[in-house]
Amino acid sequence: MTSAYQELSRTFQRLSRFGHLGAIAGVDMQTTMPPGGSQARGEAMAELSVFMHEVLTDKRLGGLFDAAQQESLNDVEQVNLSEMQRAWQQATLLPASLVEAKSLAGSRCEHAWRQQRPANDWQGFSANLKEVVKLSREEAQLRADALGVSRYDALLDVFEPGMTSAQLDQTFGDLKSWLPDLLQKAVAKQQQTPIAQPVGPFAIESQKQLGLSVMKTLGFDFNHGRLDVSAHPFCGGVPEDVRITTRYNENDFLSAMMGVIHETGHARYEQNLPKQWRGQPVAQARSTAIHESQSLFMEMQLGRSKAFLQHIHPQVVALMGDQPALELNNFIRQTQRVKPGFIRVDADELSYPAHVILRYEIERALIEGEIEVEDIPALWDEKMQQSLGIDTRGNYRDGCMQDIHWTDGAFGYFPTYTLGAMYAAQLFQAVKHAIPQVETLIQQGDLQPVFDWLQQNIWQHGSRFPTQQLLINATGEALNPHYFRQHLEQRYLSE
């Protein structure tokens, strides 16, 4: 006889396969789909979302969960059962009509955003965003009522289980108490050494070749993934077929290069999730912040380190051309430059948390109903002025319209970027402790010991452990923001 657990496993295997198709269709929508296909694709993806929702909310599953609880399961199966039940409980909170409406509104908003952002069309964008916010508030209220938490905390729990806005306020409040001073000191220190700017144009094809070369250095499996172009860099697809994207600027090759390194961090995590459990929730990434820790580990801890930059420097010169600004020391200074700017994805390590905290504070107020969509531009400018001294009035394209996350209602996602940066700093400190010669190995291009450490401590575990337990197992302690501060002070004030 088939056990209840086996029936549940088969159901989630089906959901995984349907999700596979949805993920690839979503990637295509943002990369190669012609504009005229938007409405039909949006409707098809909404239909798929509703179908998957119906499978996941089948009332028969409730009895199977009760029966499976009584069966003899090993440790991994027990965790998988718990993760399946969490997914089922989360889904049963939402009616199919809301799932469909949110998917359609998100598709419309994201597709229109691609033209509205370059045109600086806030009015057009805000009209679509209002519908996304309305539906996201409905979702948040349903989740909040069931969990007994605030609207925003209910959405935050989707991306980072167990995290609360109270914890974020404490962590980010501490960060805000010392980061502005460190930022000012770093800028002042760097002003003492002029930095020559690389002079373009840099051919798109050469930038692509540099990206592919760096991906190879970072161990990307091209048999199970590829690099494409999109309006906003992302990592999508599925573990067996990971799609990463970047965007190119002929006058600035560093933006695309660092974007590729960041997305490759996501991809390596996906490509190395436990294959023996694939198709089951326990084989999925632990949380969004852990996912971001892997991309920021690659981009910030590894990719912007002197050792790594020294290793890839010959590739950069060979593909971008030999010019004074690409002399090794200047190249390193350019890559580690601290210069507050408009764009989050191009921000330096010290400015980046300010971008994240700004978005967190705005989206929380928006979901809680404390502000409305029309209030966003003025509030955005106020916070940018306060944190980075930058004026965004009237510049919606480089201000509140620059990100893709809100277009499909991904409220609760932004805080995970800075949590991920903190996790990454703590993980890299543990790597240095475990591999004392790691800097030399990186400079020589021997990154396998680092990848082996990540495989042993993060990648192979999927969702087997809660986030903080995973961190304790890997580093010996739960989240400790001290390592993030220590890393920033050492790189930007000591070196």
PDB file of all heavy atoms in Angstrom, residues 166-182 353 357 361 418 422 479-486:
ATOM      1  N   ALA A 166      10.008  43.596  13.884  1.00  0.00           N
ATOM      2  CA  ALA A 166      10.624  44.038  15.146  1.00  0.00           C
ATOM      3  C   ALA A 166      12.104  43.663  15.169  1.00  0.00           C
ATOM      4  O   ALA A 166      12.962  44.467  15.580  1.00  0.00           O
ATOM      5  CB  ALA A 166       9.891  43.410  16.335  1.00  0.00           C
ATOM      6  N   GLN A 167      12.423  42.448  14.711  1.00  0.00           N
ATOM      7  CA  GLN A 167      13.826  42.030  14.631  1.00  0.00           C
ATOM      8  C   GLN A 167      14.586  42.875  13.610  1.00  0.00           C
ATOM      9  O   GLN A 167      15.732  43.278  13.834  1.00  0.00           O
ATOM     10  CB  GLN A 167      13.910  40.555  14.242  1.00  0.00           C
ATOM     11  CG  GLN A 167      13.427  39.592  15.304  1.00  0.00           C
ATOM     12  CD  GLN A 167      13.378  38.166  14.789  1.00  0.00           C
ATOM     13  OE1 GLN A 167      12.408  37.744  14.157  1.00  0.00           O
ATOM     14  NE2 GLN A 167      14.427  37.411  15.025  1.00  0.00           N
ATOM     15  N   LEU A 168      13.936  43.139  12.478  1.00  0.00           N
ATOM     16  CA  LEU A 168      14.572  43.962  11.447  1.00  0.00           C
ATOM     17  C   LEU A 168      14.837  45.367  11.952  1.00  0.00           C
ATOM     18  O   LEU A 168      15.905  45.944  11.694  1.00  0.00           O
ATOM     19  CB  LEU A 168      13.696  44.021  10.196  1.00  0.00           C
ATOM     20  CG  LEU A 168      13.605  42.751   9.349  1.00  0.00           C
ATOM     21  CD1 LEU A 168      12.611  42.952   8.216  1.00  0.00           C
ATOM     22  CD2 LEU A 168      14.972  42.371   8.798  1.00  0.00           C
ATOM     23  N   ASP A 169      13.873  45.940  12.669  1.00  0.00           N
ATOM     24  CA  ASP A 169      14.049  47.294  13.190  1.00  0.00           C
ATOM     25  C   ASP A 169      15.251  47.365  14.128  1.00  0.00           C
ATOM     26  O   ASP A 169      16.011  48.338  14.118  1.00  0.00           O
ATOM     27  CB  ASP A 169      12.783  47.749  13.924  1.00  0.00           C
ATOM     28  CG  ASP A 169      11.641  48.058  12.971  1.00  0.00           C
ATOM     29  OD1 ASP A 169      11.899  48.231  11.760  1.00  0.00           O
ATOM     30  OD2 ASP A 169      10.485  48.113  13.434  1.00  0.00           O
ATOM     31  N   GLN A 170      15.428  46.341  14.936  1.00  0.00           N
ATOM     32  CA  GLN A 170      16.567  46.318  15.852  1.00  0.00           C
ATOM     33  C   GLN A 170      17.884  46.176  15.089  1.00  0.00           C
ATOM     34  O   GLN A 170      18.840  46.916  15.325  1.00  0.00           O
ATOM     35  CB  GLN A 170      16.416  45.164  16.845  1.00  0.00           C
ATOM     36  CG  GLN A 170      17.556  45.088  17.858  1.00  0.00           C
ATOM     37  CD  GLN A 170      17.348  43.976  18.888  1.00  0.00           C
ATOM     38  OE1 GLN A 170      16.316  43.323  18.911  1.00  0.00           O
ATOM     39  NE2 GLN A 170      18.330  43.758  19.741  1.00  0.00           N
ATOM     40  N   THR A 171      17.927  45.225  14.151  1.00  0.00           N
ATOM     41  CA  THR A 171      19.144  44.984  13.383  1.00  0.00           C
ATOM     42  C   THR A 171      19.489  46.173  12.501  1.00  0.00           C
ATOM     43  O   THR A 171      20.641  46.627  12.465  1.00  0.00           O
ATOM     44  CB  THR A 171      18.980  43.726  12.508  1.00  0.00           C
ATOM     45  OG1 THR A 171      18.695  42.608  13.354  1.00  0.00           O
ATOM     46  CG2 THR A 171      20.244  43.436  11.715  1.00  0.00           C
ATOM     47  N   PHE A 172      18.489  46.690  11.782  1.00  0.00           N
ATOM     48  CA  PHE A 172      18.732  47.821  10.896  1.00  0.00           C
ATOM     49  C   PHE A 172      18.971  49.110  11.685  1.00  0.00           C
ATOM     50  O   PHE A 172      19.701  49.995  11.238  1.00  0.00           O
ATOM     51  CB  PHE A 172      17.555  48.008   9.940  1.00  0.00           C
ATOM     52  CG  PHE A 172      17.445  46.927   8.889  1.00  0.00           C
ATOM     53  CD1 PHE A 172      16.336  46.847   8.056  1.00  0.00           C
ATOM     54  CD2 PHE A 172      18.447  45.985   8.720  1.00  0.00           C
ATOM     55  CE1 PHE A 172      16.233  45.870   7.083  1.00  0.00           C
ATOM     56  CE2 PHE A 172      18.357  44.990   7.757  1.00  0.00           C
ATOM     57  CZ  PHE A 172      17.241  44.932   6.937  1.00  0.00           C
ATOM     58  N   GLY A 173      18.344  49.206  12.850  1.00  0.00           N
ATOM     59  CA  GLY A 173      18.569  50.391  13.688  1.00  0.00           C
ATOM     60  C   GLY A 173      20.014  50.464  14.132  1.00  0.00           C
ATOM     61  O   GLY A 173      20.635  51.546  14.121  1.00  0.00           O
ATOM     62  N   ASP A 174      20.585  49.327  14.522  1.00  0.00           N
ATOM     63  CA  ASP A 174      21.999  49.291  14.885  1.00  0.00           C
ATOM     64  C   ASP A 174      22.870  49.660  13.687  1.00  0.00           C
ATOM     65  O   ASP A 174      23.824  50.435  13.817  1.00  0.00           O
ATOM     66  CB  ASP A 174      22.367  47.898  15.391  1.00  0.00           C
ATOM     67  CG  ASP A 174      23.858  47.762  15.673  1.00  0.00           C
ATOM     68  OD1 ASP A 174      24.336  48.381  16.634  1.00  0.00           O
ATOM     69  OD2 ASP A 174      24.541  47.044  14.909  1.00  0.00           O
ATOM     70  N   LEU A 175      22.523  49.129  12.528  1.00  0.00           N
ATOM     71  CA  LEU A 175      23.281  49.410  11.303  1.00  0.00           C
ATOM     72  C   LEU A 175      23.269  50.911  10.989  1.00  0.00           C
ATOM     73  O   LEU A 175      24.305  51.498  10.648  1.00  0.00           O
ATOM     74  CB  LEU A 175      22.670  48.621  10.142  1.00  0.00           C
ATOM     75  CG  LEU A 175      23.374  48.648   8.790  1.00  0.00           C
ATOM     76  CD1 LEU A 175      24.774  48.074   8.892  1.00  0.00           C
ATOM     77  CD2 LEU A 175      22.553  47.864   7.761  1.00  0.00           C
ATOM     78  N   LYS A 176      22.109  51.526  11.135  1.00  0.00           N
ATOM     79  CA  LYS A 176      21.987  52.955  10.833  1.00  0.00           C
ATOM     80  C   LYS A 176      22.753  53.822  11.828  1.00  0.00           C
ATOM     81  O   LYS A 176      23.070  54.981  11.539  1.00  0.00           O
ATOM     82  CB  LYS A 176      20.504  53.352  10.828  1.00  0.00           C
ATOM     83  CG  LYS A 176      19.731  52.797   9.636  1.00  0.00           C
ATOM     84  CD  LYS A 176      18.229  52.923   9.806  1.00  0.00           C
ATOM     85  CE  LYS A 176      17.751  54.339   9.709  1.00  0.00           C
ATOM     86  NZ  LYS A 176      16.260  54.425   9.726  1.00  0.00           N
ATOM     87  N   SER A 177      23.080  53.257  12.999  1.00  0.00           N
ATOM     88  CA  SER A 177      23.782  54.046  14.018  1.00  0.00           C
ATOM     89  C   SER A 177      25.266  54.215  13.705  1.00  0.00           C
ATOM     90  O   SER A 177      25.897  55.166  14.167  1.00  0.00           O
ATOM     91  CB  SER A 177      23.621  53.393  15.401  1.00  0.00           C
ATOM     92  OG  SER A 177      24.391  52.199  15.493  1.00  0.00           O
ATOM     93  N   TRP A 178      25.847  53.301  12.916  1.00  0.00           N
ATOM     94  CA  TRP A 178      27.285  53.408  12.621  1.00  0.00           C
ATOM     95  C   TRP A 178      27.635  53.486  11.146  1.00  0.00           C
ATOM     96  O   TRP A 178      28.713  53.951  10.772  1.00  0.00           O
ATOM     97  CB  TRP A 178      28.056  52.235  13.242  1.00  0.00           C
ATOM     98  CG  TRP A 178      27.608  50.856  12.871  1.00  0.00           C
ATOM     99  CD1 TRP A 178      26.785  50.040  13.584  1.00  0.00           C
ATOM    100  CD2 TRP A 178      27.960  50.111  11.679  1.00  0.00           C
ATOM    101  NE1 TRP A 178      26.600  48.838  12.934  1.00  0.00           N
ATOM    102  CE2 TRP A 178      27.312  48.858  11.761  1.00  0.00           C
ATOM    103  CE3 TRP A 178      28.762  50.381  10.577  1.00  0.00           C
ATOM    104  CZ2 TRP A 178      27.434  47.884  10.773  1.00  0.00           C
ATOM    105  CZ3 TRP A 178      28.886  49.408   9.589  1.00  0.00           C
ATOM    106  CH2 TRP A 178      28.228  48.182   9.686  1.00  0.00           C
ATOM    107  N   LEU A 179      26.720  53.073  10.272  1.00  0.00           N
ATOM    108  CA  LEU A 179      27.052  53.042   8.848  1.00  0.00           C
ATOM    109  C   LEU A 179      27.300  54.422   8.230  1.00  0.00           C
ATOM    110  O   LEU A 179      28.262  54.585   7.459  1.00  0.00           O
ATOM    111  CB  LEU A 179      25.950  52.311   8.082  1.00  0.00           C
ATOM    112  CG  LEU A 179      26.258  52.033   6.607  1.00  0.00           C
ATOM    113  CD1 LEU A 179      27.464  51.107   6.469  1.00  0.00           C
ATOM    114  CD2 LEU A 179      25.041  51.415   5.914  1.00  0.00           C
ATOM    115  N   PRO A 180      26.480  55.457   8.528  1.00  0.00           N
ATOM    116  CA  PRO A 180      26.741  56.772   7.908  1.00  0.00           C
ATOM    117  C   PRO A 180      28.143  57.303   8.199  1.00  0.00           C
ATOM    118  O   PRO A 180      28.801  57.869   7.304  1.00  0.00           O
ATOM    119  CB  PRO A 180      25.654  57.661   8.515  1.00  0.00           C
ATOM    120  CG  PRO A 180      24.549  56.713   8.862  1.00  0.00           C
ATOM    121  CD  PRO A 180      25.238  55.476   9.322  1.00  0.00           C
ATOM    122  N   ASP A 181      28.607  57.123   9.422  1.00  0.00           N
ATOM    123  CA  ASP A 181      29.953  57.608   9.780  1.00  0.00           C
ATOM    124  C   ASP A 181      31.022  56.827   9.019  1.00  0.00           C
ATOM    125  O   ASP A 181      31.984  57.410   8.508  1.00  0.00           O
ATOM    126  CB  ASP A 181      30.172  57.461  11.291  1.00  0.00           C
ATOM    127  CG  ASP A 181      31.536  57.985  11.730  1.00  0.00           C
ATOM    128  OD1 ASP A 181      31.813  59.177  11.498  1.00  0.00           O
ATOM    129  OD2 ASP A 181      32.323  57.201  12.287  1.00  0.00           O
ATOM    130  N   LEU A 182      30.846  55.519   8.922  1.00  0.00           N
ATOM    131  CA  LEU A 182      31.796  54.690   8.188  1.00  0.00           C
ATOM    132  C   LEU A 182      31.801  55.069   6.708  1.00  0.00           C
ATOM    133  O   LEU A 182      32.859  55.134   6.072  1.00  0.00           O
ATOM    134  CB  LEU A 182      31.429  53.211   8.356  1.00  0.00           C
ATOM    135  CG  LEU A 182      32.291  52.179   7.618  1.00  0.00           C
ATOM    136  CD1 LEU A 182      33.764  52.347   7.963  1.00  0.00           C
ATOM    137  CD2 LEU A 182      31.818  50.773   7.958  1.00  0.00           C
ATOM    138  N   PRO A 353      23.234  49.002   1.923  1.00  0.00           N
ATOM    139  CA  PRO A 353      22.225  48.838   2.977  1.00  0.00           C
ATOM    140  C   PRO A 353      21.256  50.004   3.080  1.00  0.00           C
ATOM    141  O   PRO A 353      20.087  49.813   3.441  1.00  0.00           O
ATOM    142  CB  PRO A 353      23.075  48.706   4.250  1.00  0.00           C
ATOM    143  CG  PRO A 353      24.384  48.180   3.775  1.00  0.00           C
ATOM    144  CD  PRO A 353      24.609  48.845   2.445  1.00  0.00           C
ATOM    145  N   ILE A 357      17.242  49.533   3.296  1.00  0.00           N
ATOM    146  CA  ILE A 357      16.456  50.011   4.432  1.00  0.00           C
ATOM    147  C   ILE A 357      15.387  50.989   3.967  1.00  0.00           C
ATOM    148  O   ILE A 357      14.245  50.969   4.456  1.00  0.00           O
ATOM    149  CB  ILE A 357      17.378  50.636   5.495  1.00  0.00           C
ATOM    150  CG1 ILE A 357      18.268  49.550   6.106  1.00  0.00           C
ATOM    151  CG2 ILE A 357      16.566  51.330   6.583  1.00  0.00           C
ATOM    152  CD1 ILE A 357      19.362  50.072   7.015  1.00  0.00           C
ATOM    153  N   GLU A 361      11.407  50.320   4.659  1.00  0.00           N
ATOM    154  CA  GLU A 361      10.558  51.237   5.417  1.00  0.00           C
ATOM    155  C   GLU A 361       9.362  51.707   4.589  1.00  0.00           C
ATOM    156  O   GLU A 361       8.254  51.853   5.115  1.00  0.00           O
ATOM    157  CB  GLU A 361      11.392  52.428   5.888  1.00  0.00           C
ATOM    158  CG  GLU A 361      12.432  52.039   6.940  1.00  0.00           C
ATOM    159  CD  GLU A 361      13.365  53.172   7.335  1.00  0.00           C
ATOM    160  OE1 GLU A 361      13.382  54.211   6.638  1.00  0.00           O
ATOM    161  OE2 GLU A 361      14.082  53.031   8.345  1.00  0.00           O
ATOM    162  N   THR A 418      19.991  42.835   2.767  1.00  0.00           N
ATOM    163  CA  THR A 418      20.968  43.216   3.799  1.00  0.00           C
ATOM    164  C   THR A 418      21.146  42.113   4.828  1.00  0.00           C
ATOM    165  O   THR A 418      22.252  41.917   5.348  1.00  0.00           O
ATOM    166  CB  THR A 418      20.557  44.551   4.451  1.00  0.00           C
ATOM    167  OG1 THR A 418      20.744  45.593   3.482  1.00  0.00           O
ATOM    168  CG2 THR A 418      21.396  44.862   5.668  1.00  0.00           C
ATOM    169  N   MET A 422      24.823  40.314   5.658  1.00  0.00           N
ATOM    170  CA  MET A 422      25.332  39.987   6.993  1.00  0.00           C
ATOM    171  C   MET A 422      25.664  38.506   7.100  1.00  0.00           C
ATOM    172  O   MET A 422      26.708  38.131   7.647  1.00  0.00           O
ATOM    173  CB  MET A 422      24.302  40.386   8.050  1.00  0.00           C
ATOM    174  CG  MET A 422      24.111  41.884   8.173  1.00  0.00           C
ATOM    175  SD  MET A 422      22.842  42.307   9.393  1.00  0.00           S
ATOM    176  CE  MET A 422      23.007  44.104   9.426  1.00  0.00           C
ATOM    177  N   LEU A 479      22.965  34.634  13.683  1.00  0.00           N
ATOM    178  CA  LEU A 479      23.349  35.883  13.020  1.00  0.00           C
ATOM    179  C   LEU A 479      24.023  36.834  13.995  1.00  0.00           C
ATOM    180  O   LEU A 479      23.483  37.170  15.048  1.00  0.00           O
ATOM    181  CB  LEU A 479      22.121  36.566  12.422  1.00  0.00           C
ATOM    182  CG  LEU A 479      22.370  37.961  11.828  1.00  0.00           C
ATOM    183  CD1 LEU A 479      23.373  37.899  10.680  1.00  0.00           C
ATOM    184  CD2 LEU A 479      21.053  38.588  11.374  1.00  0.00           C
ATOM    185  N   ASN A 480      25.233  37.274  13.616  1.00  0.00           N
ATOM    186  CA  ASN A 480      25.992  38.234  14.403  1.00  0.00           C
ATOM    187  C   ASN A 480      26.445  39.348  13.464  1.00  0.00           C
ATOM    188  O   ASN A 480      27.413  39.190  12.719  1.00  0.00           O
ATOM    189  CB  ASN A 480      27.204  37.557  15.049  1.00  0.00           C
ATOM    190  CG  ASN A 480      27.966  38.499  15.962  1.00  0.00           C
ATOM    191  OD1 ASN A 480      27.757  39.714  15.943  1.00  0.00           O
ATOM    192  ND2 ASN A 480      28.870  37.959  16.763  1.00  0.00           N
ATOM    193  N   PRO A 481      25.748  40.509  13.470  1.00  0.00           N
ATOM    194  CA  PRO A 481      26.071  41.610  12.548  1.00  0.00           C
ATOM    195  C   PRO A 481      27.486  42.162  12.722  1.00  0.00           C
ATOM    196  O   PRO A 481      27.965  42.917  11.872  1.00  0.00           O
ATOM    197  CB  PRO A 481      25.023  42.675  12.890  1.00  0.00           C
ATOM    198  CG  PRO A 481      23.897  41.918  13.522  1.00  0.00           C
ATOM    199  CD  PRO A 481      24.556  40.811  14.284  1.00  0.00           C
ATOM    200  N   HIS A 482      28.155  41.786  13.803  1.00  0.00           N
ATOM    201  CA  HIS A 482      29.516  42.266  14.040  1.00  0.00           C
ATOM    202  C   HIS A 482      30.441  41.924  12.875  1.00  0.00           C
ATOM    203  O   HIS A 482      31.307  42.726  12.511  1.00  0.00           O
ATOM    204  CB  HIS A 482      30.068  41.650  15.327  1.00  0.00           C
ATOM    205  CG  HIS A 482      31.559  41.772  15.469  1.00  0.00           C
ATOM    206  ND1 HIS A 482      32.191  42.966  15.787  1.00  0.00           N
ATOM    207  CD2 HIS A 482      32.556  40.851  15.311  1.00  0.00           C
ATOM    208  CE1 HIS A 482      33.507  42.770  15.813  1.00  0.00           C
ATOM    209  NE2 HIS A 482      33.750  41.504  15.540  1.00  0.00           N
ATOM    210  N   TYR A 483      30.241  40.747  12.271  1.00  0.00           N
ATOM    211  CA  TYR A 483      31.139  40.324  11.186  1.00  0.00           C
ATOM    212  C   TYR A 483      30.978  41.211   9.955  1.00  0.00           C
ATOM    213  O   TYR A 483      31.938  41.450   9.225  1.00  0.00           O
ATOM    214  CB  TYR A 483      30.884  38.863  10.832  1.00  0.00           C
ATOM    215  CG  TYR A 483      31.231  37.930  11.957  1.00  0.00           C
ATOM    216  CD1 TYR A 483      30.233  37.267  12.679  1.00  0.00           C
ATOM    217  CD2 TYR A 483      32.556  37.714  12.325  1.00  0.00           C
ATOM    218  CE1 TYR A 483      30.546  36.418  13.725  1.00  0.00           C
ATOM    219  CE2 TYR A 483      32.884  36.860  13.379  1.00  0.00           C
ATOM    220  CZ  TYR A 483      31.868  36.223  14.072  1.00  0.00           C
ATOM    221  OH  TYR A 483      32.192  35.386  15.115  1.00  0.00           O
ATOM    222  N   PHE A 484      29.772  41.696   9.730  1.00  0.00           N
ATOM    223  CA  PHE A 484      29.524  42.594   8.597  1.00  0.00           C
ATOM    224  C   PHE A 484      30.263  43.914   8.813  1.00  0.00           C
ATOM    225  O   PHE A 484      30.956  44.412   7.915  1.00  0.00           O
ATOM    226  CB  PHE A 484      28.023  42.829   8.453  1.00  0.00           C
ATOM    227  CG  PHE A 484      27.634  43.662   7.258  1.00  0.00           C
ATOM    228  CD1 PHE A 484      28.069  43.331   5.982  1.00  0.00           C
ATOM    229  CD2 PHE A 484      26.809  44.770   7.408  1.00  0.00           C
ATOM    230  CE1 PHE A 484      27.691  44.088   4.874  1.00  0.00           C
ATOM    231  CE2 PHE A 484      26.421  45.533   6.321  1.00  0.00           C
ATOM    232  CZ  PHE A 484      26.866  45.187   5.045  1.00  0.00           C
ATOM    233  N   ARG A 485      30.141  44.461  10.007  1.00  0.00           N
ATOM    234  CA  ARG A 485      30.831  45.719  10.312  1.00  0.00           C
ATOM    235  C   ARG A 485      32.348  45.531  10.241  1.00  0.00           C
ATOM    236  O   ARG A 485      33.064  46.369   9.677  1.00  0.00           O
ATOM    237  CB  ARG A 485      30.418  46.219  11.700  1.00  0.00           C
ATOM    238  CG  ARG A 485      31.081  47.538  12.079  1.00  0.00           C
ATOM    239  CD  ARG A 485      30.549  48.062  13.398  1.00  0.00           C
ATOM    240  NE  ARG A 485      31.110  49.374  13.722  1.00  0.00           N
ATOM    241  CZ  ARG A 485      30.749  50.111  14.765  1.00  0.00           C
ATOM    242  NH1 ARG A 485      29.801  49.660  15.593  1.00  0.00           N
ATOM    243  NH2 ARG A 485      31.297  51.297  14.973  1.00  0.00           N
ATOM    244  N   GLN A 486      32.825  44.423  10.793  1.00  0.00           N
ATOM    245  CA  GLN A 486      34.255  44.143  10.780  1.00  0.00           C
ATOM    246  C   GLN A 486      34.787  44.052   9.348  1.00  0.00           C
ATOM    247  O   GLN A 486      35.851  44.600   9.029  1.00  0.00           O
ATOM    248  CB  GLN A 486      34.509  42.817  11.507  1.00  0.00           C
ATOM    249  CG  GLN A 486      35.947  42.332  11.495  1.00  0.00           C
ATOM    250  CD  GLN A 486      36.085  40.994  12.219  1.00  0.00           C
ATOM    251  OE1 GLN A 486      36.144  40.943  13.451  1.00  0.00           O
ATOM    252  NE2 GLN A 486      36.098  39.902  11.469  1.00  0.00           N
TER     253      GLN A 486
END
